[in-house]
Amino acid sequence: MVINHLHSYSIQNKKKIIINIGLFILLCLVIATITTLYVSSERYLYFWDFANYPNQTSDLASAFRTSIGQGFETFFVSLSTDYNKIPCLPLVPFVLIFGNSRLVYILSSALVYNVPFALVMGALATKIIPGQSRAVFWSTAFLTVLIPTTLLPTLRGYPDIGAAFIIGLALLVYLKDVKLKQWWQPPLLGFLLALALLFRRHFAYSARAFLGAMILWGLLIFLSEVRNNARIALRNLTRYGILIGLVSISSLVTLMVLAPEFTKQILTTNFRSLYASYEQDSFAVFQYLGLVYGWLIWFLAILGISAGIVTRILIRPAIYLIVIFGILSIIQWILLSKQMGVHYTTHFSFVIVLGISSLIWTIWLTIRKKLRSFVLGSLIIIVIMNLLSQITTGLEGILNNPVRPLFGGNHPPLVRKDYGTMVQLIEYLRNISQDKQAVYVASSSIILNNSLVIEGERQLYGRENGILNVLMTSDIDSRDFYPIQQLLEADYIIIANPFQHHLPPQEQDVMRVIVDAFTDNSELAQDFERLPEQFVLENNVIVSISRRSRLSSPETALHTLKTMQEQIQPMPGSSYYWMSYGTQPQNKIWFNGDRTVNIKATFKMEPASFLYFGPLPQLANVSGIVKSSTCSGFKQFSIRLATLNKKGDVIKSKELIYSSKDSNNFSLPIESLNAAYIRFDLVGHNKTDNISSCSVHIENLGVF
């Protein structure tokens, strides 16, 4: 009898395993099918964030092709950057096996991140919905896929759902025991919250909401216990507070061990100020969150949670914790972050998916069979209609106003109507800008921007066949810099009319000032000649190209700088106060990220000149490191300083003579009273022939 019972149990167990495997495979197939159909329908040149992580994954895969050691070195070096390669590492095997196509990247991202996210949502649902755990698990997992905002970031090239998966794991760990009685919970929670932040920096908001939910829940427990025994309640609260502190400490330790430079950056950088240009009005963000999911979807999610709580179907405290976490996430985003983008929806999918899943199971457990079938059938139709309304254009004719806002915002496959013209523009630029001549794209919209030209060439001709030298542009006032140096280096300027911007135009003066300069034929514009060819892109955007006809004089450079300082207020957030001031376009400047720059200069008869236009103390100290110097025909070179007034006239000067073989630090003080600028010259001395020249590399050049 016992043997038969064990045999029967074994058979049932095998059936469950087979069913679970089958459902898992089906889940993967559904996600893979939607992803493949979507990406295959696109005809687009991807740029900005749409291309960032595909490129990073490709770069990491290339490093691993060289050697495993090179691959991991590239990976660990990236941990100190804003956009590290943590999301890329699990995708590398797919790229190495199947190639660098966008479909491979998106499909592998969906399988590596969206499938686990759907599974963790299923697991969370079993924590709040009682009974029939397997049915609850799989129904919620498939529902996650049918809520398109969980998949749309991946389809656009963002790996953010991977960070949401990590937050989901943290919720599961916490719900294992909300009083944190398991010794392993605090360090594991700290590690997961830190990993989510490292994965994508904006998940610092989710980590903060998570900690906030823990604190509020602890206070609620204290208020319920204090009425019975104040001493025990206070002791429990103290213990709980210490454990939350351990969670925070373990998060900080994880960040410092894995990414110390990144941790230093997030602790010392005011990112809100840096990205202030991206911030929107709080009400506009509220509207966006409603429209991107669909107001009807929000209503169903809130209805599901409310009905589940009122009918006592849902398990407490799990549902309360999810609700508190969701509310804190939404409040933070509306009041603090105030940014909009489909990838940011990953913070709020927990409430949406679990809310609708709660509605489905509350209906199933409380309504009679015949009515239940009708209600659930209607709900499923709504969810499917919402899916189709968001990722296709098929229902746009049916779901017209005022019905349309009830369903999620439309994000169909990306298709450029002017794809052919954009291809012609890139081909034309390749033909005219030989020998790596520098191109500056004075446009910053989805129709035309510098990333679009760079990435478009790579996508059309292959990364290894790129020949365009497209300069980094200054796009955003709060984040970027005066684009003076890039304009002086540029051999070609691309102008789009009307002025192209992707934020409110008053937030992109660093770009508009260039368009205005060429529209008004300024002194700088007169150093270029407009080519006869024009290209008409979407929305009748006319693109013209101007080619440099002469080098810009120091006077023109100074006048252009003054114009930028007058028209771009306040000063751009990352201005680094240095520019080339001579007539040698080969002189280069690199910003270090503190208050210093590195320069490489080559000079012959005329000095290599640079201009500092930042704040000046009464006694300025100009310092740096002469890293290397190679002179041919010059026995010596000197570092010469001069303070200038607003007109560019010299007030005071000072000079330091160097042997051509010297390589050391220098520090030159100079009085800067009444000065507006400091000119920094490298000058050759005692030349022996007419082809004398010097190349000097200086690091950490700054004024203090």
Side-chain angles (χ1 to χ4, degrees):
M1 192 74 177
V2 174
I3 294 175
N4 289 337
H5 179 74
L6 290 174
H7 180 67
S8 175
Y9 177 80
S10 177
I11 292 174
Q12 290 179 0
N13 222 25
K14 287 181 179 178
K15 285 183 178 179
K16 288 181 180 179
I17 292 173
I18 292 172
I19 291 172
N20 286 335
I21 292 174
L23 290 171
F24 175 77
I25 293 172
L26 180 60
L27 180 70
C28 293
L29 287 174
V30 170
I31 289 177
T33 300
I34 294 174
T35 301
T36 303
L37 291 174
Y38 189 96
V39 177
S40 299
S41 301
E42 293 188 325
R43 191 167 185 261
Y44 205 69
L45 297 173
Y46 306 95
F47 54 89
W48 287 342
D49 286 351
F50 293 173
N52 180 26
Y53 279 102
N55 284 342
Q56 289 216 59
T57 303
S58 178
D59 292 340
L60 187 57
S62 296
F64 272 104
R65 283 193 188 97
T66 302
S67 71
I68 293 178
Q70 181 66 42
F72 280 110
E73 181 183 349
T74 301
F75 171 77
F76 285 115
V77 167
S78 78
L79 295 180
S80 63
T81 64
D82 270 358
Y83 294 93
N84 63 62
K85 292 181 168 58
I86 290 177
C88 309
L89 187 61
L91 310 181
V92 166
F94 293 89
V95 174
L96 291 176
I97 295 171
F98 299 105
N100 280 330
S101 73
R102 185 171 182 85
L103 178 59
V104 169
Y105 168 80
I106 300 293
L107 188 55
S108 60
S109 294
L111 294 175
V112 169
Y113 296 126
N114 285 87
V115 170
F117 180 73
L119 297 179
V120 84
M121 293 302 293
L124 285 171
T126 64
K127 298 294 183 182
I128 65 174
I129 303 170
Q132 305 183 50
S133 59
R134 185 169 62 172
V136 169
F137 177 90
W138 285 111
S139 63
T140 306
F142 280 96
L143 174 65
T144 303
V145 178
L146 296 178
I147 302 297
T149 40
T150 64
L151 193 57
L152 276 170
T154 304
L155 296 174
R156 288 289 189 259
Y158 296 98
D160 297 46
I161 203 68
F165 162 67
I166 297 169
I167 294 293
L169 288 179
L171 286 168
L172 282 176
V173 170
Y174 183 49
L175 291 176
K176 178 72 175 176
D177 184 345
V178 295
K179 293 186 178 181
L180 301 177
K181 292 181 178 179
Q182 305 294 326
W183 68 267
W184 47 267
Q185 284 180 284
L188 182 55
L189 284 173
F191 171 77
L192 290 172
L193 295 180
L195 184 61
L197 191 156
L198 280 173
F199 199 98
R200 286 290 273 152
R201 190 181 62 215
H202 61 83
F203 271 83
Y205 286 99
S206 278
R208 190 161 55 188
F210 190 99
L211 291 172
M214 292 177 68
I215 292 169
L216 287 176
W217 184 248
L219 292 174
L220 290 174
I221 294 176
F222 171 74
L223 291 175
S224 67
E225 292 179 343
V226 74
R227 289 173 294 183
N228 299 325
N229 191 316
R231 173 184 263 178
I232 293 176
L234 186 59
R235 185 179 64 191
N236 289 340
L237 180 64
T238 302
R239 173 190 170 276
Y240 187 74
I242 292 172
L243 292 173
I244 292 178
L246 290 175
V247 172
S248 302
I249 291 171
S250 60
S251 282
L252 184 59
V253 169
T254 300
L255 289 171
M256 292 178 68
V257 170
L258 294 181
E261 289 299 321
F262 175 78
T263 305
K264 178 182 176 182
Q265 184 182 10
I266 61 175
L267 292 175
T268 58
T269 302
N270 186 344
F271 286 103
R272 278 204 67 188
S273 174
L274 202 60
Y275 290 93
S277 294
Y278 285 95
E279 289 189 3
Q280 305 290 325
D281 178 75
S282 291
F283 183 70
V285 178
F286 171 76
Q287 284 187 309
Y288 173 78
L289 293 180
L291 293 171
V292 74
Y293 282 100
W295 291 111
L296 181 58
I297 299 301
W298 275 107
F299 170 76
L300 294 175
I302 295 170
L303 177 63
I305 292 172
S306 303
I309 291 174
V310 170
T311 59
R312 298 184 179 275
I313 294 295
L314 301 181
I315 300 171
R316 308 169 194 180
I319 186 59
Y320 290 150
L321 285 165
I322 296 295
V323 169
I324 293 171
F325 171 70
I327 290 174
L328 289 178
S329 295
I330 293 169
I331 289 174
Q332 279 192 110
W333 207 262
I334 291 174
L335 298 181
L336 298 179
S337 174
K338 297 195 287 188
Q339 295 189 33
M340 298 188 296
V342 70
H343 52 303
Y344 297 133
T345 62
T346 47
H347 292 274
F348 319 110
S349 293
F350 296 98
V351 174
I352 293 291
V353 173
L354 294 175
I356 295 177
S357 182
S358 297
L359 180 61
I360 291 172
W361 283 98
T362 300
I363 292 170
W364 180 268
L365 295 171
T366 59
I367 298 181
R368 289 178 302 173
K369 188 172 182 181
K370 289 185 179 179
L371 181 59
R372 180 176 68 192
S373 299
F374 172 76
V375 174
L376 287 178
S378 301
L379 183 57
I380 291 171
I381 290 173
I382 290 173
V383 170
I384 292 175
M385 287 182 66
N386 181 68
L387 171 69
L388 296 176
S389 74
Q390 287 202 262
I391 65 173
T392 72
T393 56
L395 296 183
E396 285 304 288
I398 301 173
L399 301 175
N400 291 322
N401 289 328
V403 179
R404 186 67 189 86
L406 297 177
F407 294 87
N410 190 228
H411 297 82
L414 296 169
V415 176
R416 272 195 84 110
K417 296 178 182 179
D418 60 356
Y419 183 89
T421 306
M422 195 66 215
V423 171
Q424 292 174 8
L425 172 59
I426 293 172
E427 183 180 7
Y428 178 75
L429 291 174
R430 283 170 60 90
N431 289 334
I432 63 172
S433 59
Q434 302 296 324
D435 300 323
K436 294 291 183 179
Q437 289 178 298
V439 177
Y440 194 95
V441 183
S443 176
S444 180
S445 72
I446 61 172
I447 294 176
L448 181 64
N449 57 74
N450 77 315
S451 176
L452 180 54
V453 175
I454 295 169
E455 300 300 336
E457 184 192 27
R458 291 174 176 175
Q459 292 160 39
L460 292 171
Y461 296 93
R463 292 169 64 85
E464 67 282 358
N465 296 319
I467 62 172
L468 292 178
N469 176 21
V470 182
L471 296 172
M472 178 175 64
T473 60
S474 187
D475 298 321
I476 310 301
D477 293 351
S478 68
R479 183 196 64 191
D480 294 330
F481 46 85
Y482 293 126
I484 180 68
Q485 179 63 39
Q486 287 72 23
L487 291 181
L488 296 176
E489 292 179 19
D491 297 298
Y492 292 91
I493 303 285
I494 298 177
I495 301 292
N497 277 302
F499 168 54
Q500 293 298 292
H501 51 92
H502 66 280
L503 293 178
Q506 64 270 21
E507 301 294 345
Q508 295 195 256
D509 287 330
V510 287
M511 183 64 71
R512 181 162 58 180
V513 69
I514 302 172
V515 177
D516 290 347
F518 277 80
T519 301
D520 299 338
N521 195 30
S522 69
E523 289 181 41
L524 178 71
Q526 292 172 27
D527 293 336
F528 293 78
E529 59 178 354
R530 179 171 292 185
L531 300 179
E533 291 80 0
Q534 288 188 334
F535 299 84
V536 182
L537 302 179
E538 284 186 15
N539 298 340
N540 201 34
V541 173
I542 300 174
V543 177
S544 58
I545 303 168
S546 296
R547 178 172 55 199
R548 182 175 290 279
S549 56
R550 65 187 180 196
L551 294 174
S552 297
S553 67
E555 292 75 20
T556 297
L558 189 59
H559 184 269
T560 304
L561 173 63
K562 288 179 181 177
T563 301
M564 289 182 178
Q565 290 175 315
E566 291 170 0
Q567 295 186 12
I568 305 171
Q569 295 290 339
M571 183 173 58
S574 295
S575 291
Y576 50 91
Y577 306 130
W578 286 91
M579 71 179 195
S580 177
Y581 194 58
T583 56
Q584 293 83 11
Q586 66 270 35
N587 296 337
K588 302 296 181 184
I589 303 176
W590 293 268
F591 179 46
N592 287 326
D594 43 19
R595 292 175 58 190
T596 68
V597 294
N598 297 343
I599 64 173
K600 285 187 177 180
T602 300
F603 51 95
K604 296 182 179 179
M605 302 298 292
E606 295 184 11
S609 297
F610 300 87
L611 189 74
Y612 173 81
F613 52 89
L616 287 171
Q618 286 191 359
L619 182 64
N621 190 59
V622 181
S623 62
I625 305 170
V626 179
K627 202 68 178 178
S628 65
S629 59
T630 304
C631 291
S632 174
F634 282 119
K635 293 182 179 180
Q636 292 176 316
F637 74 92
S638 68
I639 294 175
R640 180 187 298 162
L641 298 182
T643 55
L644 311 180
N645 61 22
K646 290 183 179 181
K647 295 180 179 180
D649 301 325
V650 175
I651 301 174
K652 289 182 178 292
S653 63
K654 178 174 286 191
E655 190 167 9
L656 177 66
I657 303 294
Y658 263 82
S659 164
S660 62
K661 295 182 179 180
D662 283 346
S663 178
N664 51 27
N665 299 357
F666 66 87
S667 181
L668 280 173
I670 187 169
E671 185 179 332
S672 54
L673 187 65
N674 299 322
Y677 313 103
I678 291 180
R679 194 178 72 201
F680 181 90
D681 295 335
L682 296 171
V683 186
H685 294 285
N686 302 321
K687 67 183 182 70
T688 59
D689 53 53
N690 291 329
I691 58 172
S692 301
S693 68
C694 271
S695 294
V696 179
H697 175 198
I698 296 178
E699 291 188 352
N700 301 325
L701 176 63
V703 177
F704 302 95

